[in-house]
Amino acid sequence: VAQADAMMANSKSLKLGFAADDVTSWGLDAPSRTKVIATCDAYGRANPANLLGLKALNFILTETPIARSRRKPARGLAPKPEALELAALPPMADLTTLSAETKTILMALTGQLHGNDGRVIPSFYRHFTAWPEMLSGLHKYLQPLIDDGALAEGATALDHAAHGLARVLYLDCPTTRLEPPSEAALTTLRELIELFPPNICKMTLIARAMGAAIATTPSSTL
């Protein structure tokens, strides 16, 4: 977690310049704003740690015998890292119970980031279905950052930074005598590692930008 926090401290932030009138129209009273900001903060901290973990795991899954010999020898499991304390978040929506209008907004946000690949509806968005107007507004404000390449550029830079830091973490990770997972499990892990890091990079930047934008909107307008 400390490495992930340091990585984000050195990463370029995106800017979402929400208009005060728009935020007011989204129905965000003070308690709602607190919930939204807490969710953005949680994803902004947890996602980078998950990103580093997936990339470090990929180094382990693809390591050569020579690379393995460079890692610290150890028996059993490595010490469990300190848990990341996060605030309680609004529940993720059950997609089967949402209105057609809200589902349409979620799919538009998903398509905005991933095109026709709808395999992953970001869980981040699913926390906010109580405020569909905010989701629709977020879609509007994100589009310029996609059109001018700012989101893609930031996500690529974050991915590269995570790759280098994850390699350091991997080299410092003790080797174990645990049995390797089955081939089926390995296939699933490799698919997840291929699919999620690019999405995690984008959603981390969006979460942090959104939280900052909501937090800096004057409270008198909410």
Side-chain angles (χ1 to χ4, degrees):
V1 174
Q3 290 91 336
D5 287 345
M7 177 179 70
M8 295 312 303
N10 293 317
S11 296
K12 186 178 180 180
S13 299
L14 296 179
K15 301 295 183 184
L16 285 170
F18 292 162
D21 288 346
D22 280 346
V23 176
T24 301
S25 72
W26 297 343
L28 291 179
D29 57 14
S32 297
R33 184 175 70 157
T34 297
K35 292 178 182 178
V36 170
I37 292 172
T39 304
C40 292
D41 289 346
Y43 273 77
R45 285 205 70 203
N47 267 351
N50 293 337
L51 176 65
L52 290 180
L54 284 173
K55 285 185 168 290
L57 178 59
N58 191 48
F59 280 117
I60 293 173
L61 294 179
T62 59
E63 71 181 353
T64 64
I66 293 177
R68 183 177 177 82
S69 69
R70 294 173 181 165
R71 290 166 59 203
K72 299 175 182 178
R75 296 173 63 91
L77 290 170
K80 186 177 180 180
E82 183 178 349
L84 176 60
E85 296 292 336
L86 299 173
L89 306 181
M92 278 196 293
D94 180 348
L95 298 177
T96 64
T97 64
L98 293 177
S99 68
E101 180 182 4
T102 302
K103 285 182 183 178
T104 297
I105 295 171
L106 282 177
M107 293 310 298
L109 282 163
T110 300
Q112 188 180 44
L113 294 184
H114 312 308
N116 295 325
D117 186 351
R119 288 181 292 170
V120 179
I121 296 178
S123 59
F124 176 68
Y125 294 148
R126 291 172 58 189
H127 290 284
F128 300 132
T129 54
W131 305 283
E133 294 85 359
M134 183 183 72
L135 289 175
S136 182
L138 178 61
H139 182 274
K140 178 185 77 172
Y141 278 99
L142 279 176
Q143 195 59 50
L145 298 179
I146 293 170
D147 291 342
D148 68 10
L151 178 58
E153 180 181 346
T156 298
L158 180 56
D159 186 77
H160 287 169
H163 188 85
L165 184 52
R167 178 166 176 79
V168 174
L169 293 174
Y170 150 73
L171 292 173
D172 285 342
C173 179
T175 57
T176 72
R177 294 189 178 184
L178 297 177
E179 290 296 322
S182 67
E183 191 57 40
L186 283 172
T187 298
T188 299
L189 285 171
R190 292 184 181 112
E191 289 176 353
L192 290 174
I193 291 169
E194 179 182 0
L195 176 63
F196 278 99
N199 297 329
I200 289 176
C201 290
K202 291 178 183 178
M203 295 314 305
T204 296
L205 296 175
I206 291 170
R208 293 169 70 91
M210 180 177 171
I214 294 292
T216 55
T217 300
S219 59
S220 60
T221 67
L222 298 176

